[in-house]
Amino acid sequence: HGLRIRWNTGSGMSRRQKLLELRQTAPHVLPSLLLCNFGNLNREIEQLDTAGVQALHLDVMDGNFVPNITYGMPIVAGLRGLTEMPLDVHLMMEGPERYVEQFHDAGADVLTIHIEAVPDPTATLRRIRDLGMAAGLALNPDTPLDSITPFLDECDLALVMSVQAGFGGQKFNPVALQKLSELKDAKPEHVLLEVDGGVNVETISQCAEAGADLLVVGSAIFKQNDYTEAVSQLHSLLHRG
């Protein structure tokens, strides 16, 4: 699947630098652990590592910003103890600025907040970066792109949701492709583009062609019998042509 990054957390590399390293070898498939077996996280991480995965995507939901509740800092910390891979933490929550330090302490490498939750995210994005993490800004399918463009200079990552935040297994909304294409031309060079929701063997090629560097995948990995085979198939579609 291309160059395999071996992370050495003792090398002095900042968490933000991990994301920049991923940019050098993009595009990447990021498993969304929402659908993984939380009863055996160690085994899940071993299987994903064997499959050649380069980073992990963690969805944190609070039951307020979205009508679902997942997990918080303890699961992030538990995963940090199992792997050196970058942890891409997506906060689908109200008032995410209240928890920036806690997620940093738990081991997050990337912290992404929603524009719908923080209409002026400047201070929060700067705080994330000041702590050494990479800062991401996400928007839902119905949110206009110009809501995030004024803040892209403060970001390392822009996350385009192709489904409404809150639940896995939703159908892909092609509005994400248009947003990715527009962002590809409008964003600062250092900003990576990420897409989340409904990314599978049918949609992943289109997402990469539209400009996505990081492609978050749930069901197309975790509902398959063989993670290595599933990731390999997704990578082959990413790099076709």
PDB file of all heavy atoms in Angstrom, residues 148-185:
ATOM      1  N   ILE A 148     -16.623  27.538   6.811  1.00  0.00           N
ATOM      2  CA  ILE A 148     -15.296  27.152   7.333  1.00  0.00           C
ATOM      3  C   ILE A 148     -14.135  27.833   6.615  1.00  0.00           C
ATOM      4  O   ILE A 148     -13.039  27.914   7.171  1.00  0.00           O
ATOM      5  CB  ILE A 148     -15.082  25.623   7.312  1.00  0.00           C
ATOM      6  CG1 ILE A 148     -14.933  25.079   5.888  1.00  0.00           C
ATOM      7  CG2 ILE A 148     -16.179  24.886   8.070  1.00  0.00           C
ATOM      8  CD1 ILE A 148     -14.360  23.671   5.829  1.00  0.00           C
ATOM      9  N   THR A 149     -14.352  28.319   5.408  1.00  0.00           N
ATOM     10  CA  THR A 149     -13.212  28.859   4.645  1.00  0.00           C
ATOM     11  C   THR A 149     -12.488  30.000   5.349  1.00  0.00           C
ATOM     12  O   THR A 149     -11.254  30.099   5.228  1.00  0.00           O
ATOM     13  CB  THR A 149     -13.643  29.285   3.226  1.00  0.00           C
ATOM     14  OG1 THR A 149     -14.832  30.076   3.298  1.00  0.00           O
ATOM     15  CG2 THR A 149     -13.918  28.066   2.356  1.00  0.00           C
ATOM     16  N   PRO A 150     -13.150  30.876   6.127  1.00  0.00           N
ATOM     17  CA  PRO A 150     -12.393  31.946   6.790  1.00  0.00           C
ATOM     18  C   PRO A 150     -11.410  31.441   7.844  1.00  0.00           C
ATOM     19  O   PRO A 150     -10.524  32.196   8.268  1.00  0.00           O
ATOM     20  CB  PRO A 150     -13.491  32.801   7.452  1.00  0.00           C
ATOM     21  CG  PRO A 150     -14.750  32.460   6.751  1.00  0.00           C
ATOM     22  CD  PRO A 150     -14.600  31.024   6.362  1.00  0.00           C
ATOM     23  N   PHE A 151     -11.551  30.180   8.258  1.00  0.00           N
ATOM     24  CA  PHE A 151     -10.746  29.661   9.365  1.00  0.00           C
ATOM     25  C   PHE A 151      -9.703  28.634   8.926  1.00  0.00           C
ATOM     26  O   PHE A 151      -9.013  28.059   9.769  1.00  0.00           O
ATOM     27  CB  PHE A 151     -11.667  29.033  10.421  1.00  0.00           C
ATOM     28  CG  PHE A 151     -12.780  29.941  10.849  1.00  0.00           C
ATOM     29  CD1 PHE A 151     -14.090  29.696  10.446  1.00  0.00           C
ATOM     30  CD2 PHE A 151     -12.527  31.061  11.626  1.00  0.00           C
ATOM     31  CE1 PHE A 151     -15.126  30.536  10.830  1.00  0.00           C
ATOM     32  CE2 PHE A 151     -13.557  31.912  12.011  1.00  0.00           C
ATOM     33  CZ  PHE A 151     -14.852  31.650  11.619  1.00  0.00           C
ATOM     34  N   LEU A 152      -9.577  28.395   7.640  1.00  0.00           N
ATOM     35  CA  LEU A 152      -8.693  27.322   7.171  1.00  0.00           C
ATOM     36  C   LEU A 152      -7.222  27.579   7.484  1.00  0.00           C
ATOM     37  O   LEU A 152      -6.450  26.630   7.652  1.00  0.00           O
ATOM     38  CB  LEU A 152      -8.894  27.089   5.670  1.00  0.00           C
ATOM     39  CG  LEU A 152     -10.231  26.455   5.275  1.00  0.00           C
ATOM     40  CD1 LEU A 152     -10.349  26.343   3.761  1.00  0.00           C
ATOM     41  CD2 LEU A 152     -10.418  25.084   5.925  1.00  0.00           C
ATOM     42  N   ASP A 153      -6.822  28.841   7.578  1.00  0.00           N
ATOM     43  CA  ASP A 153      -5.427  29.130   7.926  1.00  0.00           C
ATOM     44  C   ASP A 153      -5.076  28.646   9.328  1.00  0.00           C
ATOM     45  O   ASP A 153      -3.898  28.429   9.629  1.00  0.00           O
ATOM     46  CB  ASP A 153      -5.147  30.633   7.819  1.00  0.00           C
ATOM     47  CG  ASP A 153      -4.960  31.088   6.375  1.00  0.00           C
ATOM     48  OD1 ASP A 153      -4.510  30.265   5.554  1.00  0.00           O
ATOM     49  OD2 ASP A 153      -5.263  32.253   6.076  1.00  0.00           O
ATOM     50  N   GLU A 154      -6.096  28.499  10.181  1.00  0.00           N
ATOM     51  CA  GLU A 154      -5.869  28.035  11.554  1.00  0.00           C
ATOM     52  C   GLU A 154      -5.927  26.510  11.655  1.00  0.00           C
ATOM     53  O   GLU A 154      -5.741  25.958  12.733  1.00  0.00           O
ATOM     54  CB  GLU A 154      -6.946  28.625  12.487  1.00  0.00           C
ATOM     55  CG  GLU A 154      -7.054  30.129  12.461  1.00  0.00           C
ATOM     56  CD  GLU A 154      -5.881  30.839  13.118  1.00  0.00           C
ATOM     57  OE1 GLU A 154      -5.092  30.171  13.829  1.00  0.00           O
ATOM     58  OE2 GLU A 154      -5.750  32.063  12.919  1.00  0.00           O
ATOM     59  N   CYS A 155      -6.204  25.849  10.540  1.00  0.00           N
ATOM     60  CA  CYS A 155      -6.428  24.398  10.530  1.00  0.00           C
ATOM     61  C   CYS A 155      -5.248  23.649   9.921  1.00  0.00           C
ATOM     62  O   CYS A 155      -4.483  24.182   9.124  1.00  0.00           O
ATOM     63  CB  CYS A 155      -7.669  24.057   9.702  1.00  0.00           C
ATOM     64  SG  CYS A 155      -9.201  24.724  10.329  1.00  0.00           S
ATOM     65  N   ASP A 156      -5.169  22.384  10.277  1.00  0.00           N
ATOM     66  CA  ASP A 156      -4.284  21.428   9.596  1.00  0.00           C
ATOM     67  C   ASP A 156      -5.102  20.466   8.750  1.00  0.00           C
ATOM     68  O   ASP A 156      -4.560  19.797   7.873  1.00  0.00           O
ATOM     69  CB  ASP A 156      -3.473  20.635  10.623  1.00  0.00           C
ATOM     70  CG  ASP A 156      -2.605  21.545  11.481  1.00  0.00           C
ATOM     71  OD1 ASP A 156      -1.667  22.141  10.939  1.00  0.00           O
ATOM     72  OD2 ASP A 156      -2.896  21.665  12.686  1.00  0.00           O
ATOM     73  N   LEU A 157      -6.401  20.409   9.026  1.00  0.00           N
ATOM     74  CA  LEU A 157      -7.267  19.429   8.383  1.00  0.00           C
ATOM     75  C   LEU A 157      -8.674  20.001   8.257  1.00  0.00           C
ATOM     76  O   LEU A 157      -9.155  20.673   9.172  1.00  0.00           O
ATOM     77  CB  LEU A 157      -7.281  18.152   9.235  1.00  0.00           C
ATOM     78  CG  LEU A 157      -8.107  16.953   8.822  1.00  0.00           C
ATOM     79  CD1 LEU A 157      -7.431  15.679   9.327  1.00  0.00           C
ATOM     80  CD2 LEU A 157      -9.520  17.019   9.402  1.00  0.00           C
ATOM     81  N   ALA A 158      -9.306  19.748   7.122  1.00  0.00           N
ATOM     82  CA  ALA A 158     -10.719  20.083   6.935  1.00  0.00           C
ATOM     83  C   ALA A 158     -11.476  18.784   6.688  1.00  0.00           C
ATOM     84  O   ALA A 158     -11.127  18.019   5.778  1.00  0.00           O
ATOM     85  CB  ALA A 158     -10.910  21.045   5.765  1.00  0.00           C
ATOM     86  N   LEU A 159     -12.491  18.528   7.510  1.00  0.00           N
ATOM     87  CA  LEU A 159     -13.250  17.279   7.435  1.00  0.00           C
ATOM     88  C   LEU A 159     -14.622  17.546   6.826  1.00  0.00           C
ATOM     89  O   LEU A 159     -15.449  18.267   7.395  1.00  0.00           O
ATOM     90  CB  LEU A 159     -13.401  16.668   8.832  1.00  0.00           C
ATOM     91  CG  LEU A 159     -14.357  15.488   8.981  1.00  0.00           C
ATOM     92  CD1 LEU A 159     -14.049  14.375   8.002  1.00  0.00           C
ATOM     93  CD2 LEU A 159     -14.335  14.958  10.413  1.00  0.00           C
ATOM     94  N   VAL A 160     -14.850  16.954   5.662  1.00  0.00           N
ATOM     95  CA  VAL A 160     -16.128  17.073   4.965  1.00  0.00           C
ATOM     96  C   VAL A 160     -16.969  15.849   5.306  1.00  0.00           C
ATOM     97  O   VAL A 160     -16.599  14.716   4.971  1.00  0.00           O
ATOM     98  CB  VAL A 160     -15.908  17.177   3.440  1.00  0.00           C
ATOM     99  CG1 VAL A 160     -17.246  17.174   2.705  1.00  0.00           C
ATOM    100  CG2 VAL A 160     -15.106  18.429   3.097  1.00  0.00           C
ATOM    101  N   MET A 161     -18.092  16.069   5.977  1.00  0.00           N
ATOM    102  CA  MET A 161     -18.997  14.978   6.296  1.00  0.00           C
ATOM    103  C   MET A 161     -19.878  14.691   5.078  1.00  0.00           C
ATOM    104  O   MET A 161     -20.501  15.593   4.521  1.00  0.00           O
ATOM    105  CB  MET A 161     -19.879  15.333   7.494  1.00  0.00           C
ATOM    106  CG  MET A 161     -19.119  15.525   8.801  1.00  0.00           C
ATOM    107  SD  MET A 161     -18.297  14.012   9.372  1.00  0.00           S
ATOM    108  CE  MET A 161     -19.718  12.940   9.672  1.00  0.00           C
ATOM    109  N   SER A 162     -19.930  13.421   4.692  1.00  0.00           N
ATOM    110  CA  SER A 162     -20.806  13.021   3.586  1.00  0.00           C
ATOM    111  C   SER A 162     -22.101  12.412   4.107  1.00  0.00           C
ATOM    112  O   SER A 162     -22.949  11.970   3.335  1.00  0.00           O
ATOM    113  CB  SER A 162     -20.086  12.031   2.673  1.00  0.00           C
ATOM    114  OG  SER A 162     -19.582  10.945   3.418  1.00  0.00           O
ATOM    115  N   VAL A 163     -22.253  12.395   5.432  1.00  0.00           N
ATOM    116  CA  VAL A 163     -23.507  12.034   6.089  1.00  0.00           C
ATOM    117  C   VAL A 163     -23.667  12.976   7.279  1.00  0.00           C
ATOM    118  O   VAL A 163     -22.710  13.587   7.734  1.00  0.00           O
ATOM    119  CB  VAL A 163     -23.517  10.570   6.601  1.00  0.00           C
ATOM    120  CG1 VAL A 163     -23.316   9.587   5.463  1.00  0.00           C
ATOM    121  CG2 VAL A 163     -22.442  10.368   7.669  1.00  0.00           C
ATOM    122  N   GLN A 164     -24.877  13.091   7.775  1.00  0.00           N
ATOM    123  CA  GLN A 164     -25.094  13.903   8.973  1.00  0.00           C
ATOM    124  C   GLN A 164     -24.388  13.251  10.152  1.00  0.00           C
ATOM    125  O   GLN A 164     -24.524  12.052  10.389  1.00  0.00           O
ATOM    126  CB  GLN A 164     -26.598  14.033   9.255  1.00  0.00           C
ATOM    127  CG  GLN A 164     -26.960  15.020  10.358  1.00  0.00           C
ATOM    128  CD  GLN A 164     -26.702  16.477   9.978  1.00  0.00           C
ATOM    129  OE1 GLN A 164     -26.603  16.800   8.793  1.00  0.00           O
ATOM    130  NE2 GLN A 164     -26.594  17.336  10.963  1.00  0.00           N
ATOM    131  N   ALA A 165     -23.606  14.025  10.882  1.00  0.00           N
ATOM    132  CA  ALA A 165     -22.862  13.480  12.014  1.00  0.00           C
ATOM    133  C   ALA A 165     -23.800  12.814  13.012  1.00  0.00           C
ATOM    134  O   ALA A 165     -24.889  13.316  13.288  1.00  0.00           O
ATOM    135  CB  ALA A 165     -22.076  14.600  12.701  1.00  0.00           C
ATOM    136  N   GLY A 166     -23.360  11.664  13.528  1.00  0.00           N
ATOM    137  CA  GLY A 166     -24.125  11.050  14.602  1.00  0.00           C
ATOM    138  C   GLY A 166     -24.245   9.543  14.585  1.00  0.00           C
ATOM    139  O   GLY A 166     -24.238   8.917  15.627  1.00  0.00           O
ATOM    140  N   PHE A 167     -24.351   8.934  13.405  1.00  0.00           N
ATOM    141  CA  PHE A 167     -24.526   7.484  13.333  1.00  0.00           C
ATOM    142  C   PHE A 167     -23.727   6.914  12.167  1.00  0.00           C
ATOM    143  O   PHE A 167     -23.608   7.547  11.120  1.00  0.00           O
ATOM    144  CB  PHE A 167     -26.002   7.107  13.145  1.00  0.00           C
ATOM    145  CG  PHE A 167     -26.846   7.364  14.355  1.00  0.00           C
ATOM    146  CD1 PHE A 167     -27.520   8.561  14.502  1.00  0.00           C
ATOM    147  CD2 PHE A 167     -26.949   6.408  15.352  1.00  0.00           C
ATOM    148  CE1 PHE A 167     -28.299   8.808  15.622  1.00  0.00           C
ATOM    149  CE2 PHE A 167     -27.736   6.645  16.483  1.00  0.00           C
ATOM    150  CZ  PHE A 167     -28.391   7.844  16.617  1.00  0.00           C
ATOM    151  N   GLY A 168     -23.203   5.692  12.365  1.00  0.00           N
ATOM    152  CA  GLY A 168     -22.528   5.002  11.276  1.00  0.00           C
ATOM    153  C   GLY A 168     -23.534   4.346  10.348  1.00  0.00           C
ATOM    154  O   GLY A 168     -24.713   4.214  10.661  1.00  0.00           O
ATOM    155  N   GLY A 169     -23.055   3.937   9.175  1.00  0.00           N
ATOM    156  CA  GLY A 169     -23.873   3.166   8.259  1.00  0.00           C
ATOM    157  C   GLY A 169     -24.831   3.967   7.396  1.00  0.00           C
ATOM    158  O   GLY A 169     -25.693   3.388   6.732  1.00  0.00           O
ATOM    159  N   GLN A 170     -24.695   5.301   7.380  1.00  0.00           N
ATOM    160  CA  GLN A 170     -25.590   6.121   6.559  1.00  0.00           C
ATOM    161  C   GLN A 170     -25.142   6.142   5.097  1.00  0.00           C
ATOM    162  O   GLN A 170     -23.991   5.862   4.776  1.00  0.00           O
ATOM    163  CB  GLN A 170     -25.632   7.558   7.082  1.00  0.00           C
ATOM    164  CG  GLN A 170     -26.171   7.718   8.489  1.00  0.00           C
ATOM    165  CD  GLN A 170     -26.191   9.179   8.908  1.00  0.00           C
ATOM    166  OE1 GLN A 170     -26.937   9.985   8.374  1.00  0.00           O
ATOM    167  NE2 GLN A 170     -25.343   9.518   9.866  1.00  0.00           N
ATOM    168  N   LYS A 171     -26.065   6.523   4.220  1.00  0.00           N
ATOM    169  CA  LYS A 171     -25.775   6.571   2.793  1.00  0.00           C
ATOM    170  C   LYS A 171     -24.982   7.814   2.440  1.00  0.00           C
ATOM    171  O   LYS A 171     -25.234   8.906   2.942  1.00  0.00           O
ATOM    172  CB  LYS A 171     -27.098   6.551   1.999  1.00  0.00           C
ATOM    173  CG  LYS A 171     -26.896   6.432   0.490  1.00  0.00           C
ATOM    174  CD  LYS A 171     -28.229   6.366  -0.235  1.00  0.00           C
ATOM    175  CE  LYS A 171     -28.005   6.300  -1.741  1.00  0.00           C
ATOM    176  NZ  LYS A 171     -29.286   6.310  -2.484  1.00  0.00           N
ATOM    177  N   PHE A 172     -24.028   7.649   1.545  1.00  0.00           N
ATOM    178  CA  PHE A 172     -23.142   8.716   1.099  1.00  0.00           C
ATOM    179  C   PHE A 172     -23.924   9.811   0.372  1.00  0.00           C
ATOM    180  O   PHE A 172     -24.729   9.537  -0.514  1.00  0.00           O
ATOM    181  CB  PHE A 172     -22.094   8.111   0.161  1.00  0.00           C
ATOM    182  CG  PHE A 172     -21.062   9.072  -0.344  1.00  0.00           C
ATOM    183  CD1 PHE A 172     -19.910   9.320   0.378  1.00  0.00           C
ATOM    184  CD2 PHE A 172     -21.238   9.721  -1.556  1.00  0.00           C
ATOM    185  CE1 PHE A 172     -18.953  10.198  -0.095  1.00  0.00           C
ATOM    186  CE2 PHE A 172     -20.290  10.600  -2.041  1.00  0.00           C
ATOM    187  CZ  PHE A 172     -19.140  10.838  -1.306  1.00  0.00           C
ATOM    188  N   ASN A 173     -23.671  11.071   0.761  1.00  0.00           N
ATOM    189  CA  ASN A 173     -24.284  12.222   0.091  1.00  0.00           C
ATOM    190  C   ASN A 173     -23.252  12.843  -0.857  1.00  0.00           C
ATOM    191  O   ASN A 173     -22.210  13.334  -0.410  1.00  0.00           O
ATOM    192  CB  ASN A 173     -24.730  13.254   1.130  1.00  0.00           C
ATOM    193  CG  ASN A 173     -25.493  14.418   0.516  1.00  0.00           C
ATOM    194  OD1 ASN A 173     -25.330  14.736  -0.665  1.00  0.00           O
ATOM    195  ND2 ASN A 173     -26.321  15.079   1.319  1.00  0.00           N
ATOM    196  N   PRO A 174     -23.513  12.844  -2.177  1.00  0.00           N
ATOM    197  CA  PRO A 174     -22.521  13.328  -3.140  1.00  0.00           C
ATOM    198  C   PRO A 174     -22.187  14.813  -3.012  1.00  0.00           C
ATOM    199  O   PRO A 174     -21.252  15.276  -3.664  1.00  0.00           O
ATOM    200  CB  PRO A 174     -23.154  13.014  -4.501  1.00  0.00           C
ATOM    201  CG  PRO A 174     -24.601  12.794  -4.238  1.00  0.00           C
ATOM    202  CD  PRO A 174     -24.713  12.296  -2.841  1.00  0.00           C
ATOM    203  N   VAL A 175     -22.922  15.554  -2.177  1.00  0.00           N
ATOM    204  CA  VAL A 175     -22.552  16.958  -1.956  1.00  0.00           C
ATOM    205  C   VAL A 175     -21.121  17.044  -1.418  1.00  0.00           C
ATOM    206  O   VAL A 175     -20.429  18.044  -1.629  1.00  0.00           O
ATOM    207  CB  VAL A 175     -23.549  17.657  -1.000  1.00  0.00           C
ATOM    208  CG1 VAL A 175     -23.394  17.158   0.439  1.00  0.00           C
ATOM    209  CG2 VAL A 175     -23.362  19.179  -1.037  1.00  0.00           C
ATOM    210  N   ALA A 176     -20.666  15.986  -0.757  1.00  0.00           N
ATOM    211  CA  ALA A 176     -19.300  15.972  -0.229  1.00  0.00           C
ATOM    212  C   ALA A 176     -18.263  16.068  -1.345  1.00  0.00           C
ATOM    213  O   ALA A 176     -17.208  16.684  -1.168  1.00  0.00           O
ATOM    214  CB  ALA A 176     -19.064  14.705   0.588  1.00  0.00           C
ATOM    215  N   LEU A 177     -18.553  15.471  -2.492  1.00  0.00           N
ATOM    216  CA  LEU A 177     -17.607  15.507  -3.608  1.00  0.00           C
ATOM    217  C   LEU A 177     -17.428  16.930  -4.123  1.00  0.00           C
ATOM    218  O   LEU A 177     -16.308  17.363  -4.433  1.00  0.00           O
ATOM    219  CB  LEU A 177     -18.081  14.586  -4.734  1.00  0.00           C
ATOM    220  CG  LEU A 177     -18.232  13.108  -4.365  1.00  0.00           C
ATOM    221  CD1 LEU A 177     -18.842  12.339  -5.527  1.00  0.00           C
ATOM    222  CD2 LEU A 177     -16.884  12.514  -3.963  1.00  0.00           C
ATOM    223  N   GLN A 178     -18.520  17.654  -4.200  1.00  0.00           N
ATOM    224  CA  GLN A 178     -18.456  19.048  -4.641  1.00  0.00           C
ATOM    225  C   GLN A 178     -17.649  19.890  -3.654  1.00  0.00           C
ATOM    226  O   GLN A 178     -16.809  20.706  -4.047  1.00  0.00           O
ATOM    227  CB  GLN A 178     -19.866  19.617  -4.790  1.00  0.00           C
ATOM    228  CG  GLN A 178     -19.897  21.067  -5.277  1.00  0.00           C
ATOM    229  CD  GLN A 178     -21.319  21.610  -5.351  1.00  0.00           C
ATOM    230  OE1 GLN A 178     -22.274  20.845  -5.355  1.00  0.00           O
ATOM    231  NE2 GLN A 178     -21.440  22.918  -5.410  1.00  0.00           N
ATOM    232  N   LYS A 179     -17.895  19.675  -2.368  1.00  0.00           N
ATOM    233  CA  LYS A 179     -17.165  20.439  -1.343  1.00  0.00           C
ATOM    234  C   LYS A 179     -15.676  20.119  -1.368  1.00  0.00           C
ATOM    235  O   LYS A 179     -14.832  21.014  -1.244  1.00  0.00           O
ATOM    236  CB  LYS A 179     -17.756  20.159   0.038  1.00  0.00           C
ATOM    237  CG  LYS A 179     -19.106  20.811   0.265  1.00  0.00           C
ATOM    238  CD  LYS A 179     -19.641  20.497   1.651  1.00  0.00           C
ATOM    239  CE  LYS A 179     -20.961  21.209   1.907  1.00  0.00           C
ATOM    240  NZ  LYS A 179     -21.556  20.850   3.206  1.00  0.00           N
ATOM    241  N   LEU A 180     -15.344  18.847  -1.518  1.00  0.00           N
ATOM    242  CA  LEU A 180     -13.930  18.459  -1.599  1.00  0.00           C
ATOM    243  C   LEU A 180     -13.249  19.119  -2.790  1.00  0.00           C
ATOM    244  O   LEU A 180     -12.131  19.635  -2.673  1.00  0.00           O
ATOM    245  CB  LEU A 180     -13.807  16.934  -1.695  1.00  0.00           C
ATOM    246  CG  LEU A 180     -14.082  16.132  -0.426  1.00  0.00           C
ATOM    247  CD1 LEU A 180     -14.232  14.652  -0.754  1.00  0.00           C
ATOM    248  CD2 LEU A 180     -12.973  16.336   0.607  1.00  0.00           C
ATOM    249  N   SER A 181     -13.925  19.097  -3.929  1.00  0.00           N
ATOM    250  CA  SER A 181     -13.346  19.694  -5.144  1.00  0.00           C
ATOM    251  C   SER A 181     -13.104  21.186  -4.963  1.00  0.00           C
ATOM    252  O   SER A 181     -12.059  21.714  -5.359  1.00  0.00           O
ATOM    253  CB  SER A 181     -14.264  19.457  -6.340  1.00  0.00           C
ATOM    254  OG  SER A 181     -14.375  18.083  -6.629  1.00  0.00           O
ATOM    255  N   GLU A 182     -14.071  21.866  -4.353  1.00  0.00           N
ATOM    256  CA  GLU A 182     -13.921  23.303  -4.128  1.00  0.00           C
ATOM    257  C   GLU A 182     -12.828  23.586  -3.113  1.00  0.00           C
ATOM    258  O   GLU A 182     -12.033  24.531  -3.274  1.00  0.00           O
ATOM    259  CB  GLU A 182     -15.258  23.901  -3.678  1.00  0.00           C
ATOM    260  CG  GLU A 182     -16.320  23.901  -4.766  1.00  0.00           C
ATOM    261  CD  GLU A 182     -17.627  24.517  -4.298  1.00  0.00           C
ATOM    262  OE1 GLU A 182     -17.591  25.357  -3.374  1.00  0.00           O
ATOM    263  OE2 GLU A 182     -18.692  24.144  -4.850  1.00  0.00           O
ATOM    264  N   LEU A 183     -12.766  22.783  -2.065  1.00  0.00           N
ATOM    265  CA  LEU A 183     -11.733  22.967  -1.047  1.00  0.00           C
ATOM    266  C   LEU A 183     -10.334  22.705  -1.601  1.00  0.00           C
ATOM    267  O   LEU A 183      -9.368  23.380  -1.229  1.00  0.00           O
ATOM    268  CB  LEU A 183     -11.986  22.036   0.140  1.00  0.00           C
ATOM    269  CG  LEU A 183     -12.962  22.528   1.201  1.00  0.00           C
ATOM    270  CD1 LEU A 183     -13.296  21.401   2.166  1.00  0.00           C
ATOM    271  CD2 LEU A 183     -12.388  23.721   1.951  1.00  0.00           C
ATOM    272  N   LYS A 184     -10.243  21.728  -2.471  1.00  0.00           N
ATOM    273  CA  LYS A 184      -8.949  21.381  -3.065  1.00  0.00           C
ATOM    274  C   LYS A 184      -8.307  22.597  -3.725  1.00  0.00           C
ATOM    275  O   LYS A 184      -7.088  22.802  -3.652  1.00  0.00           O
ATOM    276  CB  LYS A 184      -9.152  20.258  -4.098  1.00  0.00           C
ATOM    277  CG  LYS A 184      -7.871  19.713  -4.702  1.00  0.00           C
ATOM    278  CD  LYS A 184      -8.228  18.594  -5.670  1.00  0.00           C
ATOM    279  CE  LYS A 184      -6.996  18.018  -6.341  1.00  0.00           C
ATOM    280  NZ  LYS A 184      -7.352  16.953  -7.309  1.00  0.00           N
ATOM    281  N   ASP A 185      -9.136  23.430  -4.354  1.00  0.00           N
ATOM    282  CA  ASP A 185      -8.638  24.627  -5.036  1.00  0.00           C
ATOM    283  C   ASP A 185      -8.485  25.818  -4.103  1.00  0.00           C
ATOM    284  O   ASP A 185      -7.652  26.688  -4.335  1.00  0.00           O
ATOM    285  CB  ASP A 185      -9.581  25.002  -6.188  1.00  0.00           C
ATOM    286  CG  ASP A 185      -9.629  23.943  -7.270  1.00  0.00           C
ATOM    287  OD1 ASP A 185      -8.596  23.275  -7.473  1.00  0.00           O
ATOM    288  OD2 ASP A 185     -10.694  23.759  -7.883  1.00  0.00           O
TER     289      ASP A 185
END
